[in-house]
Amino acid sequence: MSRLVLALLAATSALVAGDCPLPYEALDEGRCIFLDPFVAFNWQAAVDHCKTHGGTLLSYSDCDTFALVYDYIRSQDYTAAKVYWIGARDEAEEGLWKFIDGTLAPMGVPFWLNGEPNSGNKYNCAVMHNTYNHYWIDYQCTSTAFSICLRDAS
Ligand SMILES: [Ca+2]
């Protein structure tokens, strides 16, 4: 094979592989995603599940990531039909939504369903809910939902 073909093959495999360790898949050039459609967890167990797998429970505050994750969820019927945790909660102070790393989560549309969060101090964790086109709503932290972990590609 020519040197050019070999170079193209190398570049292609690097893009496709995304350097994501299993069970992760490439989300984009720099990030990996692991959606676990088999076991539902409460919020804290989902946080721990992602940590065990070297990642962080789904947390984002930009529309590009929302769109990528949305397309990923919607690409299969069985994943489109599920509810997924967001790594944000307002348990420490009602109404102050923070990600696991302590940064503030975005509020309002387009992340949250219009009018959400609206359920007060018994609903302190956020999910992407399939009934609401996977916009965020507040949810009881002790309920169960599915996990999506993100990590950087290596
Ligand atoms: Ca709350």
Side-chain angles (χ1 to χ4, degrees), residues 73-91:
I73 291 170
R74 294 276 167 159
S75 65
Q76 306 281 343
D77 287 345
Y78 73 97
T79 54
K82 289 181 159 61
V83 178
Y84 299 97
W85 289 117
I86 292 287
R89 58 179 173 172
D90 75 334
E91 205 150 62

Side-chain angles (χ1 to χ4, degrees), residues 89-91 93-97 117-125 138-139:
R89 58 179 173 172
D90 75 334
E91 205 150 62
E93 186 180 342
E94 178 58 29
L96 190 65
W97 288 84
N118 63 358
S119 295
N121 61 14
K122 294 277 194 293
Y123 288 69
N124 296 332
C125 290
D138 54 355
Y139 217 57

Side-chain angles (χ1 to χ4, degrees), residues 13-33:
S13 71
L15 277 176
V16 170
D19 296 322
C20 292
L22 289 173
Y24 286 85
E25 297 178 345
L27 179 64
D28 56 18
E29 294 85 21
R31 290 177 298 176
C32 310
I33 186 168

Side-chain angles (χ1 to χ4, degrees), residues 4-113:
L4 176 61
V5 170
L6 287 173
L8 282 171
L9 282 174
T12 305
S13 71
L15 277 176
V16 170
D19 296 322
C20 292
L22 289 173
Y24 286 85
E25 297 178 345
L27 179 64
D28 56 18
E29 294 85 21
R31 290 177 298 176
C32 310
I33 186 168
F34 167 37
L35 185 161
D36 188 338
F38 301 113
V39 187
F41 300 99
N42 66 37
W43 186 87
Q44 186 60 56
V47 169
D48 295 342
H49 179 65
C50 287
K51 201 178 290 180
T52 299
H53 286 87
T56 305
L57 185 63
L58 181 61
S59 304
Y60 57 84
S61 50
D62 64 290
C63 294
D64 288 347
T65 303
F66 195 170
L68 284 169
V69 172
Y70 177 89
D71 287 345
Y72 191 89
I73 291 170
R74 294 276 167 159
S75 65
Q76 306 281 343
D77 287 345
Y78 73 97
T79 54
K82 289 181 159 61
V83 178
Y84 299 97
W85 289 117
I86 292 287
R89 58 179 173 172
D90 75 334
E91 205 150 62
E93 186 180 342
E94 178 58 29
L96 190 65
W97 288 84
K98 288 183 173 180
F99 289 125
I100 300 159
D101 68 2
T103 59
L104 289 175
M107 301 307 294
V109 174
F111 299 96
W112 296 85
L113 182 71

